[in-house]
Amino acid sequence: MELGKTFDPKQHEAAIYGAWEKSGGFAPRPPGADSLGPFTIMIPPPNVTGVLHMGHALNNTIQDIVIRHRRMQGYEALWLPGTDHAGIATQAVVEKKLLKEQGKKREALGREAFVAEIWKWKEEHGTAILEQLRRLGASCDWSRTRFTLEAGMSEAVRESFVRLWEKGLIYRGARLVNWDCVLETAVSDDEIEMVTRKDKLYFLRYPVEGQTGRTVSVATTRPETMVGDTGVAVHPQDERYRDLVGKFLTLPLIGRRIPVVADESVERKFGTGAVKITPGHDPADYERGQRFHLPIVSVLTKDGKLNEEGGPFAGMPREKARTAILAALEEQGLLEKTEELEHNVPLSDRSKSIIEPMVSEQWFVKMAPLAGPAIEAVRSGQLRFVPERWTKVYLDWLLNVRDWCISRQLWWGHRIPVWYDEDSVPFASRTDLAIGSPHPITKKPIVRQDEDVLDTWASSYLWPFATLGWPAKSEDLARFYPTQFLSTARDIIYLWVARMVMAGYEFIDPKTVQAAKNGADVRCPFSVVNIHATVLDAQGRRMSKSLGNGIDPIEMIEKYGADAVRLSLILLTNEGQDVKLSPDRFDQGYRFANKVWNATRFVLANLDGGNPEVSRDPAAFDTLEDQWIVTRRNVTLANVSKALDEYRFNDAASELYAFIWNDFCDWYLELAKGRFTDSATDSARTARGVLASVLSDTLAMLHPFMPFLSEVLWEALGEKLARKQPLLMNTRWPSSKDAALGGSWMQSMETIQTLVRAVRNVRALTMLGERTPLAATIVAKDGADRQVLTQHQNTCKTIAFLSEITVAESASRPPASAVAVAGTIEVIVQLTSDVDLSKLKEVLEKRLAKGKSGIEALERKLSNAAFVEKADPGIVAGERARLQEIRVENELIARNLAGM
RNA sequence: GGGCGAUUAACUCAGCGGCUAGAGUGCCUCCCCUACACGGAGGAAGUCGUGGGUUCGAAUCCCUCAUCGCCCACCA
């Protein structure tokens, strides 16, 4: 295979991905002697209506890194994909389409036909987001793709519902729920968003019964709800109203007699200190109403109009009713005044319309009994959040958990498996009950099934095991449950993560899953929850559709390639810290991809037929740079492995990046060039072996991060090395177990690097050409340095383009010379012509000043008895050595400056 | 109101008790040399948000304040 001069992702991605899928490498490897056991990740199922955004791109990159790493290590790695039916969102999309294309509302179609329409839409468009995940390189086992509304999931949903029902954890009741008047459904507390906006506070006068002319003013932001008022509350200690408690007021416009009650919850300082009580349309009033047994009057219809309770205003939409009611009150002199007010309005996450609290019959799940084990799971360490701080968020919610409203007035979703007889006695059943069949308890005929469907989360909270076949005792369930890793966004810790944990503890029978490892509770659905960074735009705002500030990952993949997008995201996000992103940030990933591409091209160009397998032990080599790069490879391998094991993706990627660019490319490849001038030598042969070995391991380490690039290059390298298997799964993660991590060669190489940099420094500052041959005298006080430099003087000569090297313990600088000082090493360069030393002087002066302040700081520190006494002896010794070094360096600089 | 996070180079971020505080981008100078100009070499650039405290020692730990962001709660 010929590699072009630059990496062109488009040329490879589709083909590579196709080959991976065809190879079956995304499926978990079969159990066997060499297997490390199962390792499972369940994808957070994106909405079927979804489009891949940057958050998905980041999250799925993270999951793919983990699963590819585990797969290469030898685990039976399963990453199970799927989508969520997303009740409200999907129904809304199809409703809109229906209205636009056929001008029909869903009611015109009827339930069955409408749901069929949605399925049709799902079949056509429901895989779009999964295709986008493929573009990203996600190595999911597509053969196991699941959907939260498919048959198997329905069975799981029914089983879970009936079990909770049988335990008495499900109840139906009239409660104040959050009503979305646009979508005409209840939504849960977790699906509303409070938005601060400028509003008006209206002061309404309510006449006191039997005291002509006397009124009580109440302040409200929602005057239209006054028709539902059934009381007015004041604070018990409020002198202004004390005499009125127990008396009655006349509700204007309606004429209802409403009592004045005394309640602690009233804030005396706010408004007039008297608050109208509308139990049917306000959560706080609902509670006050309960306390004083006030009647509940519902005044709104499901689509947000005033109902018959609204008297003359019946039938008006809520906004219109407000204006009309205010006008009517004004006319009667009962609108005292209006004030500006900043306050919070609840908006529906879905429709963005104002939520109306409304009393309605809904199904609820009692959460307290389910929360217990989920709390215990993190306390006992079964479950761990990364970063750890999210534990508190999770716990706070669970400790104050409220019952979960699970019914939704939609058509798209799992229909509630409850049937009623003619007396409306409900029964929850695992199997459909035919109309007319006897009610299992009352024996009276069944007349109808509940019309409502379940909240989407009431199916997706079963995701970790329902996807594996539960409630059946399937092989997959036994093998792949519980999972090891979950990565998700912080905003669904309550909606999804916590509920999955509850579900695991509630529904999983330990006997149906694999034997517990080291005493872990196998019911807990995952052991690590990774909460990834939130991707913000360049101004630090959330990326959102309405702002239009999103960066489309697919567009970025088109431009920079999937590998670049993946690596850039990982390099930019650290420990789940929010990240500000602009499109040009992906450049770093692409540049790096190109660097690796070209480094591989160089290696390939120099490999020939005889490329010996070389040792992983640096001591097996006798050339310094070989010993050094093999050691550096081993250290990198150990660090990257450790970081990945600890889910520190950014650390792992940074480590690899630096190794490849700074060590492998900048130094080893440059040094290797010199050895290939005669490719028949032993030195060249060894270099070929080292290049092949180090590059192979490097590509393997890079694979989880940049799968396409590494696979293409691996394949190209494989041609030269008679190696056939794709990197995807047949190669094990290189082992760092018995690799040496240190050695004197690290020190020696550093000395050489120091020298070379010093020479380059002189050349750059004096405008001597980079390659003009120069004669250099190297003055090194340290015997070990002298030995290294003498021994490796040929290497130094080659890479620093020196014609001659003299190593000495001391020497004085002749007039026609330039000098560089690096640590305790001094490099004196003979000059044959006049050069401008001013720039060099300037830099040396700056270094001298900096050194001085360093010396002062260290001297202060070391003359401090307390430091020497209390600090770790190793640190004291280190500081002494450092001081000594800076002193020597500064002396050298000072002496040389004096002669310039 | 309660909680969490952030504040370090022009920009985006690392560093989280002991290096003369780092990286990438940008900037300046030089360089197409048998991988890569999407590159190489060198350089300039920081009172580590403010004010206190703990400590021999603080960018790092504690407290105060400020600014920005997020989450929870919800004075009608």
Side-chain angles (χ1 to χ4, degrees):
Chain A
M1 178 165 46
E2 267 304 307
L3 301 187
K5 201 171 166 185
T6 54
F7 173 47
D8 178 12
K10 272 198 197 141
Q11 213 181 334
H12 306 282
E13 289 180 358
I16 293 275
Y17 200 87
W20 282 335
E21 280 204 87
K22 228 173 110 192
S23 76
F26 291 168
R29 77 178 72 233
D34 57 346
S35 160
L36 295 181
F39 189 100
T40 315
I41 300 177
M42 297 294 174
I43 204 170
N47 290 357
V48 270
T49 55
V51 178
L52 198 76
H53 57 64
M54 273 303 163
H56 289 127
L58 171 61
N59 192 217
N60 288 289
T61 295
I62 288 171
Q63 293 170 76
D64 198 44
I65 288 170
V66 173
I67 209 71
R68 284 181 189 266
H69 172 229
R70 296 306 188 187
R71 192 182 290 127
M72 290 171 81
Q73 280 184 312
Y75 286 92
E76 299 156 36
L78 168 63
W79 184 14
L80 189 145
T83 47
D84 190 303
H85 68 278
I88 298 176
T90 313
Q91 176 163 328
V93 166
V94 178
E95 269 184 301
K96 212 179 267 174
K97 184 171 174 264
L98 200 65
L99 200 62
K100 203 172 143 200
E101 289 174 7
Q102 307 181 25
K104 280 189 194 160
K105 294 198 114 188
R106 69 172 203 253
E107 289 80 5
L109 236 65
R111 183 166 190 150
E112 214 167 301
F114 179 71
V115 169
E117 267 314 295
I118 306 183
W119 273 107
K120 219 171 89 194
W121 182 92
K122 189 257 171 189
E123 294 312 321
E124 278 170 37
H125 304 100
T127 53
I129 193 154
L130 300 182
E131 289 306 320
Q132 293 183 313
L133 286 176
R134 287 178 164 92
R135 292 291 306 276
L136 191 70
S139 60
C140 302
D141 182 357
W142 301 109
S143 71
R144 283 180 165 87
T145 304
R146 303 302 299 265
F147 178 53
T148 55
L149 198 55
E150 69 198 8
M153 288 294 290
S154 299
E155 205 185 321
V157 166
R158 280 209 185 177
E159 178 67 26
S160 64
F161 186 94
V162 174
R163 282 205 203 172
L164 293 178
W165 173 280
E166 285 169 350
K167 284 181 85 170
L169 295 180
I170 289 190
Y171 63 91
R172 185 169 169 81
R175 289 285 184 292
L176 205 60
V177 297
N178 307 300
W179 191 264
D180 183 323
C181 296
V182 171
L183 300 168
E184 297 187 32
T185 179
V187 298
S188 77
D189 291 343
D190 305 297
E191 291 168 308
I192 63 176
E193 187 193 351
M194 300 302 286
V195 180
T196 306
R197 48 164 84 171
K198 276 220 157 61
D199 220 328
K200 289 199 167 72
L201 186 64
Y202 303 93
F203 291 74
L204 316 182
R205 289 197 175 108
Y206 288 4
V208 179
E209 191 185 72
Q211 298 187 32
T212 317
R214 186 167 178 202
T215 60
V216 172
S217 278
V218 296
T220 179
T221 52
R222 301 173 62 221
E224 68 279 10
T225 63
M226 61 87 62
V227 296
D229 286 3
T230 54
V232 165
V234 297
H235 195 273
Q237 258 86 63
D238 197 330
E239 297 299 337
R240 293 172 293 180
Y241 303 111
R242 183 163 281 178
D243 67 307
L244 286 174
V245 174
K247 302 243 164 50
F248 286 82
L249 308 176
T250 309
L251 188 63
L253 311 178
I254 299 294
R256 186 180 297 134
R257 246 182 123 228
I258 59 174
V260 177
V261 296
D263 192 65
E264 302 271 354
S265 71
V266 177
E267 198 62 57
R268 272 176 280 183
K269 294 183 293 289
F270 188 86
T272 61
V275 57
K276 68 194 217 37
I277 305 176
T278 322
H281 296 282
D282 182 280
D285 288 357
Y286 182 82
E287 299 201 346
R288 290 180 186 126
Q290 298 286 97
R291 281 199 284 278
F292 297 101
H293 309 288
L294 300 177
I296 295 170
V297 177
S298 289
V299 303
L300 288 173
T301 62
K302 291 183 174 176
D303 57 351
K305 293 183 180 133
L306 282 197
N307 64 14
E308 63 284 356
E309 297 286 350
F313 312 99
M316 288 185 186
R318 45 192 166 153
E319 303 81 13
K320 223 179 204 166
R322 174 178 298 188
T323 325
I325 287 174
L326 285 170
L329 289 170
E330 173 100 74
E331 202 179 311
Q332 297 184 20
L334 295 177
L335 176 59
E336 184 186 329
K337 59 175 174 174
T338 304
E339 281 180 2
E340 292 289 325
L341 176 76
E342 250 195 22
H343 90 137
N344 300 322
V345 182
L347 290 191
S348 163
D349 276 350
R350 290 292 165 204
S351 69
K352 303 295 170 199
S353 65
I354 295 178
I355 288 289
E356 294 293 344
M358 262 197 221
V359 173
S360 73
E361 286 272 316
Q362 301 288 345
W363 289 100
F364 294 86
V365 176
K366 286 186 193 163
M367 295 296 265
L370 301 178
I375 292 166
E376 188 49 30
V378 292
R379 291 196 169 149
S380 67
Q382 292 289 319
L383 181 61
R384 187 164 62 87
F385 278 85
V386 178
E388 197 271 331
R389 65 173 185 275
W390 296 106
T391 313
K392 191 171 156 7
V393 175
Y394 167 91
L395 277 178
D396 283 350
W397 184 78
L398 283 171
L399 290 168
N400 302 298
V401 76
R402 284 175 295 181
D403 287 354
W404 176 17
C405 172
I406 52 168
S407 42
R408 293 295 122 94
Q409 289 64 50
L410 303 174
W411 287 349
W412 178 242
H414 294 282
R415 194 151 168 190
I416 291 179
V418 169
W419 283 262
Y420 301 90
D421 70 4
E422 53 193 32
D423 302 325
S424 284
V425 178
F427 185 79
S429 170
R430 288 179 174 84
T431 52
D432 282 357
L433 296 186
I435 303 301
S437 66
H439 186 288
I441 294 174
T442 67
K443 307 299 177 199
K444 291 186 173 166
I446 291 291
V447 296
R448 63 185 173 95
Q449 183 180 358
D450 199 291
E451 290 295 319
D452 290 352
V453 301
L454 287 166
D455 177 11
T456 302
W457 298 106
S459 48
S460 48
Y461 85 134
L462 308 172
W463 189 249
F465 45 87
T467 49
L468 295 171
W470 186 90
K473 297 178 174 65
S474 72
E475 266 176 49
D476 266 9
L477 183 66
R479 185 172 166 209
F480 294 111
Y481 189 90
T483 75
Q484 279 66 43
F485 182 75
L486 176 84
S487 186
T488 192
R490 69 189 57 157
D491 39 331
I492 52 178
I493 291 176
Y494 315 134
L495 286 171
W496 193 48
V497 178
R499 287 174 184 159
M500 279 193 286
V501 179
M502 295 184 195
Y505 279 95
E506 181 62 23
F507 299 122
I508 288 298
D509 174 359
K511 289 197 289 293
T512 61
V513 299
Q514 58 188 300
K517 287 170 204 144
N518 34 343
D521 192 320
V522 294
R523 292 175 299 172
C524 189
F526 24 74
S527 36
V528 169
V529 179
N530 182 256
I531 301 296
H532 70 250
T534 300
V535 183
L536 308 171
D537 74 359
Q539 279 91 53
R541 300 171 304 178
R542 270 179 108 86
M543 290 192 178
S544 75
K545 257 192 218 158
S546 50
L547 275 174
N549 61 345
I551 301 172
D552 178 7
I554 297 299
E555 216 174 278
M556 294 300 109
I557 288 173
E558 298 277 349
K559 188 166 175 197
Y560 298 96
D563 294 308
V565 169
R566 293 168 59 119
L567 185 77
S568 302
L569 283 173
I570 296 301
L571 286 175
L572 286 168
T573 54
N574 187 267
E575 287 267 318
Q577 207 55 58
D578 292 355
V579 60
K580 287 185 206 160
L581 190 69
S582 55
D584 58 322
R585 306 302 305 279
F586 293 103
D587 213 41
Q588 189 184 5
Y590 181 72
R591 287 193 201 197
F592 180 67
N594 203 241
K595 188 76 180 174
V596 177
W597 178 266
N598 276 292
T600 305
R601 284 207 319 140
F602 172 81
V603 173
L604 288 172
N606 287 292
L607 291 185
D608 60 15
N611 305 297
E613 285 270 334
V614 299
S615 170
R616 312 180 81 83
D617 180 0
F621 299 89
D622 39 43
T623 305
L624 177 61
E625 57 262 35
D626 293 338
Q627 295 162 335
W628 171 76
I629 197 68
V630 168
T631 306
R632 284 292 303 131
R633 183 267 317 272
N634 294 348
V635 170
T636 305
L637 189 46
N639 291 344
V640 170
S641 300
K642 186 157 190 284
L644 283 178
D645 282 339
E646 292 167 5
Y647 304 113
R648 289 180 288 113
F649 309 104
N650 177 277
D651 288 348
S654 310
E655 180 95 19
L656 245 184
Y657 183 98
F659 168 72
I660 292 173
W661 205 305
N662 304 330
D663 294 338
F664 189 64
C665 294
D666 288 351
W667 289 95
Y668 191 76
L669 290 191
E670 292 307 320
L671 285 163
K673 282 178 185 172
R675 297 162 74 178
F676 291 131
T677 46
D678 183 354
S679 64
T681 57
D682 279 350
S683 172
R685 236 187 309 282
T686 310
R688 279 197 287 273
V690 172
L691 283 173
S693 161
V694 172
L695 182 60
S696 292
D697 279 2
T698 302
L699 291 175
M701 282 191 270
L702 197 57
H703 186 253
F705 303 92
M706 309 183 93
F708 295 104
L709 172 76
S710 55
E711 188 71 88
V712 177
L713 297 177
W714 177 264
E715 196 183 306
L717 198 61
E719 284 174 14
K720 296 268 188 176
L721 300 175
R723 187 169 55 193
K724 294 255 157 53
Q725 315 93 319
L727 190 45
L728 172 67
M729 74 169 295
N730 292 333
T731 299
R732 294 297 163 81
W733 185 258
S735 163
S736 58
K737 237 188 346 217
D738 35 36
L741 302 182
S744 64
W745 34 75
M746 297 303 288
Q747 189 68 48
S748 302
M749 186 67 189
E750 261 168 47
T751 304
I752 288 172
Q753 288 175 322
T754 304
L755 171 81
V756 172
R757 287 197 187 103
V759 174
R760 286 173 179 166
N761 181 273
V762 174
R763 303 182 101 112
L765 292 173
T766 54
M767 294 294 182
L768 286 164
E770 259 179 81
R771 311 193 138 205
T772 317
L774 295 172
T777 303
I778 304 168
V779 186
K781 283 243 156 59
D782 184 88
D785 284 346
R786 282 202 303 280
Q787 208 214 318
V788 168
L789 292 169
T790 309
Q791 194 187 336
H792 299 286
Q793 59 173 293
N794 283 333
T795 304
C796 297
K797 272 186 187 168
T798 315
I799 197 163
F801 298 95
L802 297 172
S803 55
E804 213 179 302
I805 287 184
T806 315
V807 179
E809 188 173 355
S810 68
S812 55
R813 189 171 69 86
S817 66
V819 69
V821 176
T824 58
I825 298 172
E826 192 181 12
V827 184
I828 300 166
V829 177
Q830 324 284 345
L831 297 176
T832 48
S833 57
D834 260 3
V835 296
D836 180 9
L837 293 178
S838 61
K839 190 89 185 162
L840 180 65
K841 222 172 137 183
E842 193 185 304
V843 170
L844 284 175
E845 272 161 0
K846 205 157 259 175
R847 290 248 312 269
L848 188 70
K850 212 172 178 188
K852 255 184 200 155
S853 70
I855 290 168
E856 279 164 22
L858 283 168
E859 278 175 343
R860 223 177 301 127
K861 202 171 196 177
L862 285 162
S863 63
N864 182 340
F867 169 67
V868 180
E869 216 171 278
K870 289 187 191 171
D872 185 287
I875 286 182
V876 178
E879 300 287 60
R880 282 219 171 91
R882 204 155 56 83
L883 175 61
Q884 193 49 35
E885 215 169 283
I886 303 175
R887 273 185 179 148
V888 172
E889 184 180 52
N890 258 31
E891 269 166 36
L892 291 176
I893 294 172
R895 208 181 64 207
N896 281 301
L897 271 172
M900 262 182 210

